[in-house]
Amino acid sequence: MDGKVKKQKQHQQKHSGPKAEKKKLKKQNGSTEEDERKRNPKAFAVQSAVRMAKTFHRAQDIKTKKHHVPVVDRTPLEPPPIVIVVVGPPKVGKSTLIRCLIKNFTRQKLTDICGPVTIVSGKKRRLTFMECNNDINSMIDLAKVADLVLMLIDASFGFEMETFEFLNICQVHGFPRIMGVLTHLDAFKNNKTLRKTKKNLKHRFWTEVYQGAKLFYLSGMVYGEYQNQEVKNLGRFISVMKFRPLVWQTSHPYILADRIEDLTDPERLRTDPKCDRTVSLYGYLRGTHLKNKGQVHIPGVGDFQMSEVNFLPDPCPLPDTQKKRALNEKERLLYAPMAGVGGVVYDKDAVYIDLPANHVKQLQEEVRPTTELVQSLIETHVTLDAKMAASKVSLFSGSAGLDPTDVSEQSGVQDGLREMHVWDPHTQTRRRKVVFTGFEEEEDDDTTLDLVYLQFSAKKQSVFLPGCDPSVGAFKWKDGLQQKASAAFLRHQEAAPNLRKLVYGSVVEAEDSEEEEEAELGGLFRVNRPQKSKKVQANALDCSHFNPDISHNWELEEMLNSIRDCFVTGQWEEGQDAATLLKEDEELYGDFEDLETGKVHKGTTGEQDQAEKSESDEDETDDEDQQVKMDDDEVMKNKRLEKKRRLKERFNTEYDDGDATYFDDLKEEMQKQAELNRAEFEDMDDESRVQYEGFRPGMYVRLEISSLPCEFVTNFDPHYPVIIGGLGTSEGNVGYLQMRLKKHRWYERILKTRDPLILSLGWRRFQTIPLYHIEDHSPITPQGTGFLAVQSVSGVKANFRIAATGVVLDLDKSVTIVKKLKLIGYPYKIFQNTCFIKGMFNTVLEVAKFEGASIRTVSGVRGQIKKALSTPAGAFRATFEDRLLMSDIVFLRSWYPLSIPQLYNPVTSLLLPVGQKDSWSGMRTVGQLKHDLGVRNKPSIDSLYKPITRAPRHFNPLHIPRELQKALPFKSKPKLLQPKGKVPRDLKRASVIREPHERKVAELLRALSTVHHYKKKEAQRAHHAKHKEFLQQKEKDEEAKMKRMKDARKKLYRVMGQKDQKKQRSSLKGTPQDD
Amino acid sequence: MLRSACTKRRKRRRMRRRKMTRTTISGLRASQPERGDFEANFIRLLDKLTNGSTIEINQTGTVLVFQPGLLYGGTVEHDCNPQRSIGYYLEALLMLGPFMKSPLKATLRGVTNDLTDPTVDLLKSTALPVMKKFGIDGEGFDIKRGMAPGGGGEVVFTCPVRKTVRPVQLTDPGKIKRIRGVAYSVRVSPQMGNRIVESARGILNQFLPDIYIYTDHMKGANSGKSPGFGLTLVAETLNGCFLSAEMSSTPQGQGDPILPEDLGRNCAKLLLEEIYRGGCVDSSNQSLALLLMTLGQQDVSKVLLGPLSPYTIEFLRHIRDFFQIMFKIEVQKPLEDERKGGDKVLMTCVGVGYSNISKTLK
């Protein structure tokens, strides 16, 4: 009773007492597994080697499956804002959500969400929101640039086709992060149905995205906005989210344009309103480095060449690094020029000021340094050219380190020469520099930079620009220069940039200094005048040999000595010297204790160190000679550090080598490369960095494209995304693509060869004509890129719009697709193995073309075409490996090249008028054409159904050769089938005609024999009956006899049994008494 | 992308190809239509390697419009013009080889060794290790010699296909550990080889004991059409960099004949000159290394070179024109007490992220 009551109580954990102590101890010690192994070794023993191998194998499989191919991490230090695309069917609450999120992050209200909205969401994160409307064009474009997709689902309605279409688009173009958001949850009155719907939607969403994908619930609206707490939570999720790099995005630069300006000359616009426009597009560069002057594709517009790229100061910068947790009000920036927010907008050559009611003060504060300039620009109303010139001048005077008082600028108007006074710190003199203004206008940026540089370099300052007469450079300071030129080390700093200029040719050294240099630098500066030398080389021999310097005389000892250390026999660096290495080894492994003898062997370092003072080690504290100089101390310290580092490295490698796999090595290599990438250009200024690497992602750039169609500007709608996708080298070409395609199972129609199809491939959307087998004509895109096909992009249809998806397999410039062609002929004359065949060709010429071709009959007899016959036309002689029959059909298998339709028709949806952007229609399919024109197909007579008439079949008799018949066994011999042939005459019986007497005799005999037969028959019948009776009798007797015998036997056995029993009984009783 | 200007059409063309570049170029030749034989021959070779390229040359031979197609590769046989040695053609193949659709197997016939171009031996011993550093290994060379002017040699060059090129950091060449070489002689006395070896060793032995120069005397069918001899020397460093020098005898009937002893000595001096220049890549392969760096992943590659040759400088300009890639060029002066030859140049660049688009996805 007592126990039962206790059982129902909950388990009470002991908090004190021996048991609790024990448990505590166990927890503290931790190594439970080891203990269990020790305590119960049998449980961990190997039961089956096979099982063990299997589990091990499986464990390894699972482990390796988790590995991804390591890639170099190329994300920049200051990444571009994350693109968040808000997708969903209409009236689901997209704009409301964006508005709420923006309000959550920046405390600002946006009424109309037009174009991308960039905000600063945290210390290290910026976000760009973009709303995706229901047009399939924008869905495709945005899926390619999205980092995160907020997929809004109306819970009261359930999933809509748009959602699935978008998911499918995402799958093809690399899967960005997808987060579901359920709205309209307040439509449910019943809590149970709400829960059920949530669960159903969640599971369906999981199957589409991945198991466990995040689905957010926005329960209801308060004053037309979502609940604050829920939005805050969503915002928190967004701001801590991590992203996986997508292949296409990381290998191509792209920009989601957030501002567009038309730069076309207004005069030109007035005269020709339809002229091509020069447009500058602005946005954050994402993906990878963008090279200047590359090719870009703007989805919905087409391919273009960038005429210029610059980077601008970030309009929405991340806050400066300060140690605090939250952003203050000033740092919560919002930038959305298309939506009319963002305040002051800077351009390369203009400033746009939008003055909203609030925030004005703050924005102006930020831009203080340039406001003066802005003001002056606004006031002066100068032309563009003048502005350009002005900006250059300002750059010059603003160059750092150069004392503005030392640099005075005069514009030498005559001859286009400009003179400039430069203070030379080395010679302590004022120098005049000659600058060619005419040249400068061409390459303004470069030249200016060069000049700035040269002011710093402390030596011969003659800078001659192409076309400048050397005699102009006859200056006073030249004499002093030549003296100095003899000092080699002075050129030290100068060499590098000059070499750069030399190669890339924007500054040319003066002729007089060239000779000295050449002798000095050992042929380093061979080509000194790119302009001139280029022409010389135009006709020079094109050869990669580098002729040796004549001045080097390898007979001389000093020359030989100059390369002594290049050989292993020469002197080594101190760090790698054999002696040093040996010593190090000794330090590492020198001290050891001989365990057997107990003797301690000390490394000999101590003595050695004493011997060479300079290399003495810090380990030896008892070192007596401490009187080293101060700089020696420094050297030693460095040495020590170096040594420590090396020791550590060695230890690390030894320690890690144990379980380092190939994968780890690869990862480490990638890590190193990423570090190097970051470090290499880190300390350079952006201007020069851009030259080496291109524009790096995260920069706010301005692209200028000079020939955009005017519709792009006139029909611009900020609700549609403008994406500028950079194209890799040779991705601008057109060729043939071979793709693996799969029709979507939800798409209802069938896809037909030569029916135009709209593909979304790479950045592009275009219409093309596929040829299923397989090949296709379209712009070249790297293999492995996914694509998506739709049949039309216009309008909204109830059905699923995505027709097919697939992947690019191969690309080529020319492709030969062939059709199989069988030519059929019939033999009309058969010799042994040769026969004449007609009906395959029409002329002798055709036959001549196919001479030697192999042919075959249906039954598989192979042959060859030999020669044409004169008649009938097209007949030929052929030989076969066996004799043909007249009924054989001969055929020739051949291939017929197919011409592939070439169509590349980019979908120019962005050029359509506002409001009709989703109505682009390209080439129509044959079916559509017929439908539109009301053409009905006249079916081929051959394809019509006709009543089937079957001719009676006639079988020829089977003929078995006589030889074969002889060999057959008797039962298989065709006895019955043998027709009744003629009986040979000798076997034929002659018919007998009887005499009347004979006839009588025969008659009598017949009568007698009939009687006899009857009698005989009767007798036989009687005999049978008798015999039957006899047999019956006999059986009866037999039965009686058996019965008797059975009885007798029964009796006998009974007696015997009794006897046996008696015997047994008596034997049980004991000894027989009297028998 | 239209490109005029002239010269170094070969390089230019090569570059074009490699990028499979764009459209077209009109390479304007400066006015010497008569020197076009080997160039026409070169274009023909390119035509064989590609698919879908169009070539138009105007009547005077001054304008070339070349629209490259995709690099196709496969088995190619080509009779090279004996005006230039096979090295001239091979240099281009080395650059194009890894970016073909199918692995290249090119059989080139003509002059294997002459004075102007890098010989096949040199390319075999230096260009291949350079490519190996970039992750392209497995190329093969099979040589039958044929000296200028007659030629008659044959080279079978095989090259595997790569999708991407690895970035490299070659900043330390290391010290030279051994010197190897080939002294070849065809249709002359076999003694020539030994004489060359002896004189070359005489100079090089001052620096290093580990020198081995093979003598390669060819007879009969393998010896080509013209007599001649020459020497190729290769110095290998501890870090696997190769510096080389070579010299061939003057072609029969052209210029003064050269003594084998002189040739050996001069060639050894050339090698010393090359060592003086130093760097991780020898002077004749500078452009190859730079190109592979340019075509690498979008990562930083570094290579230490000797002074840039005029050819390389021209090449760098082409790279800038075609790929918009500029190299960061830093000159490293030797320290005062260092005895390691002249100035070195450290070239740094970020690759364009080129991937071989003609390779088929299986």
Side-chain angles (χ1 to χ4, degrees):
Chain A
M1 280 275 291
D2 215 48
K4 264 180 192 172
V5 172
K6 267 187 181 169
K7 241 181 200 172
Q8 282 169 347
K9 258 189 182 175
Q10 256 192 338
H11 172 64
Q12 297 265 319
Q13 214 163 12
K14 293 270 182 200
H15 294 291
S16 59
K19 231 178 191 180
E21 292 284 300
K22 217 174 168 186
K23 221 168 205 178
K24 223 182 264 170
L25 205 74
K26 212 176 185 184
K27 230 177 215 173
Q28 271 178 356
N29 284 350
S31 61
T32 47
E33 203 194 326
E34 198 58 30
D35 282 348
E36 273 161 11
R37 272 174 189 275
K38 268 180 195 164
R39 205 173 59 231
N40 188 4
K42 264 188 192 172
F44 294 94
V46 178
Q47 300 292 334
S48 148
V50 177
R51 159 81 58 82
M52 197 178 178
K54 262 184 192 165
T55 42
F56 177 76
H57 201 183
R58 192 179 134 71
Q60 291 298 314
D61 276 357
I62 290 168
K63 207 170 143 194
T64 34
K65 248 185 208 166
K66 282 181 190 161
H67 289 169
H68 289 279
V69 178
V71 283
V72 180
D73 177 24
R74 298 197 181 95
T75 47
L77 284 175
E78 200 168 297
I82 288 155
V83 180
I84 300 175
V85 176
V86 183
V87 205
K91 290 281 162 209
V92 79
K94 298 185 290 273
S95 312
T96 320
L97 181 68
I98 295 181
R99 225 173 285 141
C100 288
L101 281 169
I102 289 170
K103 194 186 152 203
N104 174 47
F105 283 121
T106 65
R107 314 266 183 277
Q108 287 191 48
K109 272 191 180 177
L110 270 186
T111 44
D112 188 19
I113 313 291
C114 266
V117 179
T118 307
I119 58 171
V120 179
S121 74
K123 280 192 293 181
K124 286 188 179 154
R125 184 157 283 193
R126 292 173 290 179
L127 311 174
T128 298
F129 288 101
M130 182 76 203
E131 188 182 331
C132 176
N133 53 17
N134 201 23
D135 187 356
I136 198 161
N137 291 313
S138 356
M139 295 203 315
I140 289 173
D141 291 348
L142 283 174
K144 291 171 190 171
V145 296
D147 293 313
L148 168 67
V149 173
L150 290 182
M151 183 157 274
L152 265 65
I153 299 153
D154 185 347
S156 63
F157 184 86
F159 285 107
E160 288 170 60
M161 270 304 174
E162 284 84 6
T163 312
F164 286 113
E165 279 167 358
F166 191 82
L167 281 170
N168 224 293
I169 295 167
C170 284
Q171 267 169 359
V172 167
H173 296 297
F175 215 82
R177 279 254 154 189
I178 291 185
M179 202 146 114
V181 179
L182 286 188
T183 58
H184 295 270
L185 285 171
D186 47 351
F188 291 96
K189 296 287 175 260
N190 187 352
N191 207 21
K192 200 175 178 190
T193 41
L194 172 67
R195 248 185 299 142
K196 252 191 179 164
T197 328
K198 268 186 183 176
K199 198 179 169 189
N200 282 342
L201 290 176
K202 187 171 74 181
H203 282 279
R204 189 70 188 82
F205 186 69
W206 284 3
T207 50
E208 283 302 322
V209 184
Y210 62 91
Q211 287 298 310
K214 188 70 201 161
L215 193 62
F216 236 89
Y217 308 111
L218 295 178
S219 56
M221 308 271 272
V222 179
Y223 300 122
E225 283 181 353
Y226 293 112
Q227 285 175 12
N228 268 343
Q229 195 53 46
E230 288 171 349
V231 172
K232 196 174 254 176
N233 282 345
L234 180 60
R236 217 166 268 164
F237 258 98
I238 291 170
S239 49
V240 297
M241 192 164 267
K242 282 179 182 159
F243 301 96
R244 276 206 73 216
L246 306 179
V247 175
W248 180 264
Q249 287 184 5
T250 48
S251 58
H252 291 82
Y254 61 97
I255 291 161
L256 178 61
D258 55 14
R259 199 178 133 212
I260 286 164
E261 304 292 342
D262 186 7
L263 300 181
T264 325
D265 183 15
E267 180 58 21
R268 240 187 108 204
L269 273 185
R270 196 183 58 78
T271 51
D272 180 16
K274 293 259 177 198
C275 66
D276 277 359
R277 305 296 175 90
T278 308
V279 171
S280 62
L281 301 145
Y282 304 79
Y284 285 98
L285 180 64
R286 299 162 212 270
T288 175
H289 297 287
L290 175 74
K291 296 273 175 325
N292 207 343
K293 304 248 181 341
Q295 247 192 335
V296 291
H297 179 83
I298 304 178
V301 187
D303 281 16
F304 298 97
Q305 189 89 32
M306 287 185 289
S307 55
E308 204 185 345
V309 186
N310 325 90
F311 63 90
L312 300 177
D314 202 330
C316 198
L318 284 173
D320 302 329
T321 47
Q322 283 163 17
K323 283 202 172 169
K324 54 175 180 168
R325 301 190 76 179
L327 301 179
N328 61 25
E329 201 70 8
K330 276 184 192 170
E331 288 162 347
R332 294 172 189 276
L333 292 173
L334 170 69
Y335 180 69
M338 282 189 188
V341 211
V344 183
V345 180
Y346 293 93
D347 198 350
K348 202 181 80 174
D349 42 23
V351 179
Y352 304 88
I353 305 172
D354 181 35
L355 301 174
N358 51 350
H359 287 288
V360 173
K361 250 181 198 167
Q362 170 216 328
L363 285 164
Q364 278 191 340
E365 265 174 21
E366 274 176 45
V367 299
R368 169 92 23 98
T370 40
T371 354
E372 280 170 43
L373 179 64
V374 173
Q375 289 299 327
S376 65
L377 287 179
I378 293 169
E379 280 163 21
T380 46
H381 299 289
V382 280
T383 58
L384 189 72
D385 284 10
K387 261 191 243 170
M388 296 276 277
S391 71
K392 192 191 309 150
V393 170
S394 68
L395 173 64
F396 213 93
S397 58
S399 58
L402 193 69
D403 196 345
T405 52
D406 285 311
V407 180
S408 68
E409 199 182 68
Q410 298 174 2
S411 54
V413 188
Q414 67 289 49
D415 296 340
L417 278 176
R418 213 194 288 165
E419 201 180 28
M420 209 185 317
H421 293 271
V422 179
W423 180 254
D424 187 0
H426 200 84
T427 50
Q428 304 290 311
T429 52
R430 181 178 285 246
R431 291 179 175 177
R432 293 153 68 232
K433 188 172 288 177
V434 181
V435 178
F436 221 78
T437 41
F439 178 77
E440 204 169 314
E441 247 164 73
E442 283 172 30
E443 304 190 23
D444 46 356
D445 281 3
D446 276 13
T447 328
T448 329
L449 272 178
D450 301 340
L451 291 175
V452 172
Y453 168 75
L454 281 162
Q455 283 145 17
F456 285 104
S457 65
K459 56 225 63 99
K460 34 170 183 85
Q461 253 73 19
S462 77
V463 176
F464 290 126
L465 294 157
C468 187
D469 189 356
S471 65
V472 181
F475 301 114
K476 294 185 278 194
W477 46 265
K478 224 175 145 190
D479 306 341
L481 169 79
Q482 272 164 347
Q483 289 161 10
K484 254 178 278 158
S486 57
F489 69 94
L490 272 188
R491 283 180 208 94
H492 216 263
Q493 308 109 308
E494 188 198 25
N498 272 355
L499 189 56
R500 205 197 111 188
K501 294 286 154 1
L502 168 79
V503 172
Y504 295 119
S506 35
V507 153
V508 186
E509 282 293 319
E511 228 171 318
D512 51 359
S513 61
E514 180 204 336
E515 276 123 27
E516 315 156 12
E517 256 186 301
E518 200 171 345
E520 189 58 46
L521 294 174
L524 202 59
F525 296 102
R526 195 122 290 226
V527 186
N528 271 32
R529 291 142 296 159
Q531 303 299 18
K532 275 190 197 170
S533 55
K534 242 182 197 171
K535 248 171 218 161
V536 175
Q537 281 166 10
N539 300 327
L541 202 59
D542 170 23
C543 164
S544 63
H545 260 314
F546 188 10
N547 293 327
D549 199 333
I550 319 133
S551 61
H552 291 170
N553 185 3
W554 291 102
E555 306 281 339
L556 297 176
E557 189 61 26
E558 59 181 295
M559 215 58 215
L560 294 179
N561 278 336
S562 70
I563 59 166
R564 285 260 177 229
D565 289 349
C566 289
F567 295 88
V568 280
T569 48
Q571 198 176 4
W572 291 67
E573 286 87 31
E574 253 175 74
Q576 295 168 335
D577 207 354
T580 327
L581 288 178
L582 211 66
K583 209 172 75 183
E584 237 168 53
D585 270 358
E586 213 150 70
E587 275 162 31
L588 261 184
Y589 308 111
D591 297 359
F592 67 94
E593 194 176 351
D594 197 335
L595 285 175
E596 279 179 24
T597 56
K599 225 193 238 170
V600 177
H601 293 258
K602 276 267 180 186
T604 51
T605 33
E607 292 85 32
Q608 267 186 15
D609 283 356
Q610 279 178 346
E612 11 179 333
K613 282 172 202 164
S614 60
E615 285 177 24
S616 68
D617 209 86
E618 91 288 353
D619 292 341
E620 309 297 313
T621 43
D622 53 345
D623 237 13
E624 298 296 77
D625 27 12
Q626 295 272 338
Q627 64 276 34
V628 267
K629 287 170 209 163
M630 283 300 280
D631 51 340
D632 269 9
D633 249 357
E634 192 76 356
V635 171
M636 266 170 56
K637 197 180 165 194
N638 282 342
K639 245 182 213 166
R640 238 177 284 145
L641 285 176
E642 173 71 9
K643 194 184 228 169
K644 265 189 182 166
R645 191 187 57 77
R646 241 182 289 146
L647 273 174
K648 197 175 172 188
E649 224 168 59
R650 190 185 285 190
F651 175 77
N652 277 346
T653 50
E654 274 170 16
Y655 189 80
D656 293 343
D657 262 353
D659 46 12
T661 57
Y662 171 71
F663 184 69
D664 292 333
D665 291 348
L666 207 62
K667 242 169 51 182
E668 197 182 344
E669 203 175 291
M670 298 288 177
Q671 179 77 25
K672 263 186 195 158
Q673 184 69 50
E675 271 166 27
L676 184 72
N677 288 353
R678 293 231 175 86
E680 184 59 35
F681 297 107
E682 202 172 27
D683 44 355
M684 289 176 111
D685 59 330
D686 278 348
E687 284 285 354
S688 45
R689 206 174 154 177
V690 157
Q691 284 187 324
Y692 292 129
E693 317 180 279
F695 296 89
R696 65 179 179 283
M699 277 178 159
Y700 192 74
V701 293
R702 168 189 183 276
L703 305 180
E704 203 172 303
I705 296 174
S706 54
S707 58
L708 274 171
C710 67
E711 289 88 352
F712 177 73
V713 178
T714 53
N715 296 337
F716 179 69
D717 180 0
H719 292 279
Y720 277 80
V722 177
I723 293 160
I724 300 119
L727 299 172
T729 47
S730 81
E731 277 173 32
N733 294 358
V734 174
Y736 296 95
L737 295 184
Q738 187 175 334
M739 301 161 150
R740 189 186 297 136
L741 175 131
K742 196 178 174 199
K743 191 180 92 74
H744 202 283
R745 68 196 170 99
W746 291 356
Y747 190 71
E748 286 166 345
R749 290 152 173 259
I750 54 165
L751 300 174
K752 290 180 175 174
T753 288
R754 285 175 208 277
D755 256 2
L757 201 65
I758 296 166
L759 295 188
S760 156
L761 176 63
W763 294 122
R764 299 182 173 97
R765 283 179 278 127
F766 56 92
Q767 193 174 39
T768 188
I769 298 182
L771 218 72
Y772 307 100
H773 135 94
I774 332 232
E775 252 107 325
D776 195 2
H777 185 257
S778 63
I780 283 176
T781 317
Q783 323 86 319
T785 314
F787 76 94
L788 172 111
V790 286
Q791 219 150 32
S792 97
V793 289
S794 59
V796 181
K797 288 184 202 116
N799 290 337
F800 197 68
R801 284 179 284 187
I802 292 159
T805 55
V807 67
V808 179
L809 293 181
D810 190 12
L811 20 113
D812 215 329
K813 278 287 188 179
S814 68
V815 81
T816 47
I817 305 183
V818 285
K819 243 182 177 174
K820 207 192 241 177
L821 181 72
K822 269 188 188 176
L823 300 175
I824 300 173
Y826 305 94
Y828 68 93
K829 190 154 194 190
I830 296 170
F831 302 98
Q832 201 52 39
N833 281 347
T834 306
C835 62
F836 294 169
I837 290 163
K838 64 177 180 187
M840 194 178 280
F841 302 107
N842 293 321
T843 57
V844 178
L845 196 71
E846 281 175 16
V847 181
K849 219 175 170 185
F850 281 90
E851 256 173 33
S854 66
I855 46 180
R856 203 165 72 92
T857 67
V858 177
S859 52
V861 180
R862 292 168 297 180
Q864 199 181 26
I865 295 178
K866 287 295 182 195
K867 202 162 189 204
L869 299 169
S870 52
T871 49
F876 59 88
R877 173 167 58 89
T879 56
F880 289 87
E881 57 187 1
D882 200 357
R883 198 177 167 209
L884 253 54
L885 295 177
M886 284 303 279
S887 59
D888 270 331
I889 299 170
V890 180
F891 61 87
L892 171 83
R893 288 200 305 171
S894 63
W895 309 95
Y896 174 71
L898 219 57
S899 70
I900 300 162
Q902 301 189 344
L903 174 74
Y904 167 60
N905 184 15
V907 176
T908 52
S909 56
L910 278 187
L911 304 183
L912 295 170
V914 180
Q916 300 169 28
K917 289 202 192 272
D918 59 348
S919 60
W920 188 87
S921 63
M923 192 175 168
R924 286 176 287 180
T925 63
V926 176
Q928 278 170 345
L929 269 175
K930 278 181 187 163
H931 179 260
D932 294 350
L933 300 175
V935 178
R936 289 200 64 88
N937 220 3
K938 218 174 194 180
S940 152
I941 295 169
D942 289 341
S943 353
L944 291 177
Y945 287 99
K946 281 164 275 186
I948 302 164
T949 49
R950 293 205 168 91
R953 297 189 72 176
H954 168 75
F955 297 101
N956 284 332
L958 175 71
H959 169 70
I960 302 172
R962 202 180 300 151
E963 287 298 308
L964 186 60
Q965 265 189 49
K966 258 187 204 165
L968 282 174
F970 180 74
K971 72 168 185 195
S972 309
K973 273 188 180 158
K975 316 170 268 277
L976 301 170
L977 292 174
Q978 206 159 36
K980 295 223 160 42
K982 287 182 225 158
V983 183
R985 187 175 285 174
D986 55 332
L987 293 181
K988 253 187 202 165
R989 285 204 176 158
S991 53
V992 182
I993 298 163
R994 289 175 175 138
E995 295 294 308
H997 170 68
E998 279 176 340
R999 211 180 296 156
K1000 266 183 194 164
V1001 172
E1003 201 74 16
L1004 180 67
L1005 276 177
R1006 197 166 58 85
L1008 283 176
S1009 66
T1010 311
V1011 171
H1012 172 69
H1013 275 301
Y1014 179 74
K1015 272 184 182 165
K1016 210 173 158 187
K1017 224 178 189 176
E1018 278 299 292
Q1020 206 159 11
R1021 203 161 49 84
H1023 175 73
H1024 265 287
K1026 218 175 172 182
H1027 188 67
K1028 211 176 177 183
E1029 219 165 85
F1030 164 74
L1031 283 180
Q1032 273 174 353
Q1033 187 60 42
K1034 200 181 171 190
E1035 204 174 334
K1036 229 182 250 172
D1037 290 351
E1038 197 80 359
E1039 224 166 85
K1041 191 180 164 192
M1042 286 298 283
K1043 203 178 174 197
R1044 250 184 293 121
M1045 276 175 74
K1046 207 178 173 184
D1047 284 348
R1049 231 179 280 147
K1050 213 174 182 178
K1051 221 178 263 171
L1052 178 70
Y1053 286 141
R1054 200 161 155 212
V1055 174
M1056 274 169 70
Q1058 280 170 347
K1059 240 186 197 171
D1060 266 1
Q1061 257 178 347
K1062 223 181 261 175
K1063 213 190 233 172
Q1064 219 164 12
R1065 235 177 278 146
S1066 64
S1067 68
L1068 277 173
K1069 268 178 195 160
T1071 47
Q1073 288 160 2
D1074 40 359
D1075 244 284
Chain B
M1 200 201 203
L2 194 89
R3 175 125 197 266
S4 56
C6 35
T7 30
K8 307 275 163 167
R9 306 205 262 343
R10 176 166 67 131
K11 257 181 284 172
R12 184 108 31 82
R13 243 168 260 143
R14 237 185 257 158
M15 310 266 306
R16 243 175 261 155
R17 327 284 17 282
R18 41 232 6 265
K19 309 183 66 173
M20 340 245 104
T21 8
R22 330 330 189 8
T23 29
T24 332
I25 313 337
S26 64
L28 246 169
R29 182 136 39 119
S31 69
Q32 292 185 324
E34 74 277 1
R35 190 158 38 81
D37 276 2
F38 62 90
E39 283 164 347
N41 195 280
F42 181 76
I43 294 171
R44 221 162 288 139
L45 173 63
L46 288 186
D47 189 35
K48 280 180 191 172
L49 290 172
T50 55
N51 178 5
S53 44
T54 53
I55 299 160
E56 281 172 47
I57 304 173
N58 76 346
Q59 283 187 331
T60 53
T62 52
V63 177
L64 164 75
V65 180
F66 183 78
Q67 178 143 16
L70 282 178
L71 291 168
Y72 214 83
T75 310
V76 173
E77 284 193 23
H78 187 71
D79 289 320
C80 301
N81 193 307
Q83 282 178 341
R84 299 299 291 262
S85 80
I86 290 177
Y88 174 84
Y89 300 88
L90 261 181
E91 277 185 322
L93 288 190
L94 281 168
M95 293 179 173
L96 297 175
F99 306 104
M100 300 271 177
K101 192 178 202 76
S102 48
L104 179 69
K105 187 182 182 217
T107 311
L108 304 176
R109 289 188 205 88
V111 180
T112 54
N113 303 62
D114 75 351
L115 281 170
T116 48
D117 286 304
T119 63
V120 178
D121 298 84
L122 184 89
L123 290 176
K124 184 181 178 182
S125 53
T126 57
L128 296 196
V130 169
M131 292 180 85
K132 204 168 181 178
K133 299 252 176 198
F134 287 90
I136 307 161
D137 52 351
E139 306 99 323
F141 265 114
D142 197 6
I143 307 173
K144 278 182 205 161
R145 280 213 178 73
M147 300 291 288
E154 185 183 275
V155 176
V156 180
F157 172 61
T158 51
C159 183
V161 177
R162 288 287 173 273
K163 181 127 203 249
T164 50
V165 179
R166 211 163 59 187
V168 292
Q169 267 73 45
L170 298 175
T171 48
D172 183 21
K175 291 190 185 295
I176 292 163
K177 61 176 176 184
R178 64 165 81 106
I179 293 176
R180 293 285 175 270
V182 181
Y184 52 85
S185 50
V186 289
R187 295 187 179 274
V188 289
S189 156
Q191 206 47 45
M192 294 290 198
N194 297 337
R195 285 162 69 186
I196 295 171
V197 171
E198 203 173 320
S199 59
R201 285 192 73 120
I203 288 184
L204 296 176
N205 261 344
Q206 302 174 48
F207 293 102
L208 205 66
D210 187 2
I211 299 170
Y212 195 90
I213 301 170
Y214 301 87
T215 50
D216 184 9
H217 182 71
M218 288 207 170
K219 278 191 242 175
N222 288 341
S223 62
K225 289 174 184 164
S226 308
F229 53 89
L231 175 64
T232 311
L233 290 172
V234 182
E236 187 186 348
T237 67
L238 285 169
N239 291 358
C241 301
F242 291 80
L243 302 170
S244 66
E246 59 167 356
M247 211 163 178
S248 307
S249 60
T250 43
Q252 193 184 29
Q254 299 171 8
D256 308 326
I258 185 168
L259 278 176
E261 282 83 6
D262 289 348
L263 186 134
R265 221 170 292 126
N266 288 341
C267 188
K269 282 176 189 167
L270 278 181
L271 184 69
L272 294 185
E273 173 76 31
E274 191 64 46
I275 291 167
Y276 179 83
R277 286 174 188 154
C280 292
V281 178
D282 76 335
S283 61
S284 53
N285 288 310
Q286 282 175 351
S287 50
L288 176 68
L290 293 179
L291 183 81
L292 290 175
M293 278 165 74
T294 313
L295 291 174
Q297 295 298 289
Q298 295 199 321
D299 292 319
V300 171
S301 292
K302 287 179 170 194
V303 70
L304 188 75
L305 301 178
L308 303 179
S309 70
Y311 180 84
T312 312
I313 289 172
E314 192 75 4
F315 196 82
L316 281 171
R317 289 181 193 144
H318 293 316
I319 285 182
R320 195 211 21 204
D321 291 350
F322 282 109
F323 299 103
Q324 272 85 43
I325 288 265
M326 265 173 80
F327 280 76
K328 190 166 134 191
I329 305 170
E330 292 163 301
V331 175
Q332 291 184 346
K333 296 266 180 184
L335 298 177
E336 272 169 62
D337 53 344
E338 239 179 10
R339 297 182 298 174
K340 285 189 166 181
D343 299 342
K344 309 285 183 285
V345 183
L346 183 65
M347 308 288 286
T348 311
C349 84
V350 181
V352 286
Y354 178 86
S355 71
N356 183 2
I357 56 169
S358 35
K359 198 172 169 233
T360 309
L361 189 74
K362 296 269 158 49

